[in-house]
């Protein structure tokens, strides 16, 4: 079936979509608690699958690969939301912090501070790669060309950056809840 999809077979893609859509929706819904966001995530994840269809014949364990694509998409979605929320917090009137949700906003602000410190602790090349891919939204190939590196080197720098950020967050966060929030941001 993957070979057929790689050769632009829409019927094979439809079969695959029908098989996995409810599983991906359930995961997305559990993470977002929003039917609309879960549906949007399903569409975006399958769109990524269609875009990467030429790579499918080389995938040995499709389910594991596809769930990894879905998980990474969800983490990216959470990171974008967190960055947006953090930007919004800095623009909010200080009186806003005295509402019932003040504790949540303080936790978010503390988490943002720790993540910023983790980014500053990265080696320069890892920091550049992370910033360009995760914050600016460039593709690995674009970053590779921009920094005059191979795509594989960019991939390695990004993986090391993510590992270093997670390790920093785990070492500097007081509660497991804060660590969990940080993993949603990354």
């Amino acid at each position: 079936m993957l070979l057929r999809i790689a050769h632009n077979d829409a019927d094979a893609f439809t079969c695959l979509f029908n098989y996995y859509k409810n599983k991906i929706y359930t995961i997305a819904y559990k993470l977002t608690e929003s039917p609309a966001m879960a549906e949007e995530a399903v569409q975006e994840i399958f769109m990524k699958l269609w875009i990467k269809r030429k790579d499918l014949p080389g995938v040995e364990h499709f389910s594991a690969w596809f769930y990894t694509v879905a998980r990474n998409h969800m983490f990216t979605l959470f990171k974008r939301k967190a960055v947006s929320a953090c930007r919004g917090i800095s623009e909010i009137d200080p009186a806003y912090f005295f509402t019932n949700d003040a504790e949540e906003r303080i936790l978010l602000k503390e988490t943002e501070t720790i993540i910023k410190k983790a980014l500053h602790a990265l080696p320069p090349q890892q920091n550049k790669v992370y910033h360009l891919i995760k914050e600016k939204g460039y593709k690995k190939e674009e970053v590779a060309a921009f920094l005059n590196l191979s795509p594989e080197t960019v991939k390695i720098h990004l993986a090391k950056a993510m590992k270093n950020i997670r390790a920093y967050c785990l070492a500097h966060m007081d509660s497991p809840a804060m660590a969990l929030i940080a993993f949603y941001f990354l």
Side-chain angles (χ1 to χ4, degrees):
M1 184 180 297
L2 298 180
L3 195 55
R4 288 176 47 205
I5 294 170
H7 289 100
N8 304 324
D9 186 331
D11 292 332
F13 183 78
T14 301
C15 282
L16 190 76
F17 174 80
N18 289 332
Y19 182 79
Y20 281 100
K21 72 178 177 184
N22 291 335
K23 294 172 185 176
I24 299 298
Y25 177 86
T26 301
I27 293 167
Y29 181 77
K30 284 181 181 178
L31 291 171
T32 64
E33 297 179 353
S34 164
M37 287 180 66
E39 286 179 24
E40 184 177 335
V42 168
Q43 290 176 357
E44 291 174 0
I45 290 165
F46 277 97
M47 185 175 68
K48 282 184 181 184
L49 177 65
W50 183 252
I51 290 169
K52 295 180 180 228
R53 67 188 177 277
K54 299 293 181 199
D55 298 335
L56 292 177
V59 175
E60 289 184 35
H61 304 288
F62 177 77
S63 288
W65 177 85
F66 189 51
Y67 287 125
T68 300
V69 168
R71 184 199 67 204
N72 290 344
H73 177 80
M74 296 306 298
F75 284 149
T76 301
L77 177 69
F78 281 125
K79 183 176 182 291
R80 283 188 199 135
K81 290 185 86 169
V83 168
S84 177
C86 290
R87 286 186 185 133
I89 286 174
S90 65
E91 298 169 2
I92 294 174
D93 178 27
Y96 180 74
F97 286 95
F98 295 104
T99 65
N100 291 338
D101 296 318
E103 188 174 315
E104 289 178 24
R105 282 186 291 285
I106 290 169
L107 185 64
L108 182 64
K109 193 69 170 168
E110 288 174 6
T111 303
E112 177 191 35
T113 301
I114 290 171
I115 291 172
K116 283 183 180 177
K117 288 180 181 177
L119 291 171
H120 288 297
L122 290 176
Q125 198 72 323
Q126 287 179 20
N127 194 316
K128 283 181 198 173
V129 168
Y130 178 89
H131 176 74
L132 291 170
I133 292 173
K134 295 294 185 176
E135 294 176 357
K136 295 290 186 180
Y138 290 105
K139 295 183 189 301
K140 291 176 189 160
E141 295 78 18
E142 294 171 324
V143 173
F146 179 72
L147 296 177
N148 199 24
L149 301 170
S150 74
E152 187 63 27
T153 300
V154 169
K155 182 178 174 182
I156 290 168
H157 280 307
L158 181 62
K160 286 181 179 178
M162 298 295 285
K163 182 179 176 182
N164 289 337
I165 292 167
R166 285 187 187 106
Y168 186 96
C169 289
L170 286 173
H172 291 87
M173 291 190 168
D174 298 334
S175 73
M178 286 181 70
L180 184 60
I181 290 170
F183 283 101
Y184 282 128
F185 289 172
L186 300 175

